[in-house]
Amino acid sequence: MAAGAPWGRVSYGGKYDARLPDRVRLASGAAALVYAAGAAALWARRTPPGLKRAVYLGCTGVAVLGTVTNAISPSRPEKLWSLWSLGLGAAAWHELRRSRRARPGTSSGGLEG
């Protein structure tokens, strides 16, 4: 979307027919950078466990917000994205809970390493 793909009717409430306006494309690009930074932090072995937990918490919050906003969107294709957001939120919440249960010196699915 940030690069100009004609996906306006399946994003942002279906408000745009094809390509998003420049200001909305800029917002999509910024969001993509934030998502990429979060993914890099989760995949990096040297990311401190506390930071990983914060990223998982942020992912959970964004996914919950995305689930609600996509579910109430007037765009029918966007409503389907609510299922993806729900799954993403559930996975992030699972990892967050798992990381909180892990104790120092025990395996925590890579959060400690």
Side-chain angles (χ1 to χ4, degrees):
M1 291 183 295
W7 296 342
R9 70 172 201 272
V10 297
S11 61
Y12 294 94
K15 183 177 179 179
Y16 308 101
D17 288 333
R19 188 178 135 175
L20 300 173
D22 289 343
R23 63 182 167 70
V24 180
R25 289 176 57 206
L26 183 61
S28 293
L33 291 174
V34 170
Y35 293 145
L42 294 175
W43 286 332
R45 290 180 165 235
R46 294 183 183 241
T47 303
L51 178 57
K52 284 192 179 191
R53 284 190 290 275
V55 172
Y56 279 126
L57 182 60
C59 287
T60 301
V62 167
V64 167
L65 181 62
T67 299
V68 172
T69 57
N70 287 327
I72 65 173
S73 171
S75 168
R76 186 173 199 128
E78 202 170 9
K79 288 180 185 294
L80 294 174
W81 278 112
S82 63
L83 299 173
W84 171 260
S85 297
L86 181 62
L88 179 63
W93 179 253
H94 170 76
E95 289 300 318
L96 178 64
R97 289 183 47 104
R98 191 171 79 154
S99 71
R100 286 184 174 165
R101 284 193 302 259
R103 287 184 245 147
T106 64
S107 175
S108 62
L111 286 179
E112 303 296 329

